[in-house]
Amino acid sequence: MSGTVTAEAARLPVLLTQLRLPTIARLWPAIAETADRESWPAARTLAALLEHEIAERAQRRIARHLLEARLPPGKTLDRFDFNAVASLSRARFMALAEGDAWLAQGTNILLFGPPGVGKSHLAAGLGHALIDAGYRVLFLRTTDLVQQLQTARQELKLATVIEKLDRYHMLILDDLSYVQKSQAETSVLFELISARYERRSMLITANQPFGAWNAIFPDPAMTVAAIDRLVHHAIILEMNTDSYRRRSAETRAAARQLTPQTEEPQLTHSGD
Ligand code: ADP
Ligand code: MG
């Protein structure tokens, strides 16, 4: 190796760090060696290095988005048993999981159903899938969100905080029905809904359908206005089945009674 090559090789780590190209910094010695040995044209070597950087950059971005999304772990769509919810079409839901048009229009998804039917699991599963497809998602318990927004309002930062939430293509508001208007001004929730209207999507899960939403917003007029905006572009899914949690516990109990001699039967769901 000539003196110049060595000097250049010595400078590379600094240059690559400055340009924030960690993958090339890691891989270039091996790729350069192959290129030298096989007499690759410079363009081929350069393309190989850049392709590796781009591929890993996409992976790093997805890993970052997954971390920031705060999704409940393990609740992915491939672990969701669609056969357990007759009212839900797996094909339709998988189409939603690709994102595209409905996210571009700021369409909302409203998931209604009693406790234990899999609303949070399904919401998180959709979140996981959208992140894999390159979107940004944030999963929040609605009561926590309302609290954060109220604090922001007290600090005169409500508009800034709502604007920051714009970076998420989909906000998941889990358990909207647990919000009480006694939680002081739930009008912060209305402001969020208005700000995202026709621009950015929300997925809302709730035990109670609209009829009971007067308990959430400060007055009936605001309830109507909030529902109006939410449903204008919305996909409404009702999950009116029995609790999956309870059903799987019952299946377990029944299986134990039927097969007292054998070992624990294999279940698809561990229960919690
Ligand atoms: P909800 O939010 O409607 O109260 P969850 O999503 O928390 O219900 O579901 C309760 C538990 O049952 C979770 O552990 C969830 O993973 C599981 N579960 C519910 N429905 C299904 C399903 N169809 N397939 C697999 N697991 C499910
Ligand atoms: Mg839930």
Side-chain angles (χ1 to χ4, degrees), residues 75 79-81 84-85 114-121 244-245 269 272:
K75 305 296 178 190
R79 294 210 190 157
F80 190 83
D81 175 12
V85 195
V117 293
K119 300 181 300 295
S120 300
H121 187 147
Y244 188 89
R245 216 185 264 128
H269 168 62
D272 55 4

Side-chain angles (χ1 to χ4, degrees), residues 119-120 174-175 205:
K119 300 181 300 295
S120 300
D174 198 31
D175 283 325
T205 78

Side-chain angles (χ1 to χ4, degrees), residues 75-260:
K75 305 296 178 190
T76 52
L77 287 182
D78 55 8
R79 294 210 190 157
F80 190 83
D81 175 12
F82 280 88
N83 294 324
V85 195
S87 61
L88 216 65
S89 145
R90 182 177 190 277
R92 183 167 178 225
F93 211 84
M94 294 320 263
L96 288 178
E98 288 170 17
D100 295 334
W102 67 273
L103 281 175
Q105 293 163 1
T107 300
N108 299 310
I109 298 181
L110 305 174
L111 273 183
F112 294 131
V117 293
K119 300 181 300 295
S120 300
H121 187 147
L122 208 53
L126 185 60
H128 275 286
L130 290 179
I131 289 170
D132 285 342
Y135 295 99
R136 293 177 77 177
V137 170
L138 181 62
F139 186 104
L140 298 149
R141 275 166 39 199
T142 315
T143 46
D144 292 346
L145 171 70
V146 167
Q147 220 150 52
Q148 283 169 28
L149 294 179
Q150 275 170 9
T151 308
R153 160 167 283 171
Q154 280 152 19
E155 295 168 356
L156 306 176
K157 287 184 199 149
L158 183 60
T160 319
V161 169
I162 286 179
E163 214 174 282
K164 275 196 183 150
L165 293 173
D166 258 10
R167 75 176 72 149
Y168 300 105
H169 299 92
M170 182 172 80
L171 278 190
I172 300 173
L173 271 55
D174 198 31
D175 283 325
L176 181 83
S177 4
Y178 291 169
V179 175
Q180 291 298 325
K181 58 182 156 194
S182 56
Q183 246 190 318
E185 316 160 51
T186 33
S187 62
V188 289
L189 203 53
F190 179 75
E191 286 181 41
L192 176 72
I193 291 167
S194 303
R196 289 179 79 87
Y197 176 57
E198 294 195 314
R199 293 189 313 109
R200 284 284 195 230
S201 299
M202 287 192 276
L203 187 160
I204 291 177
T205 78
N207 296 335
Q208 311 282 346
F210 303 117
W213 283 23
N214 263 325
I216 298 169
F217 294 94
D219 61 70
M222 197 179 280
T223 308
V224 171
I227 293 173
D228 208 51
R229 282 166 177 74
L230 282 176
V231 303
H232 185 190
H233 307 283
I235 297 162
I236 299 174
L237 302 169
E238 299 211 37
M239 303 171 70
N240 287 321
T241 53
D242 284 342
S243 163
Y244 188 89
R245 216 185 264 128
R246 195 176 60 238
R247 265 187 295 162
S248 55
E250 282 166 7
T251 313
R252 252 194 317 271
R256 240 179 249 124
Q257 280 183 348
L258 283 172
T259 56

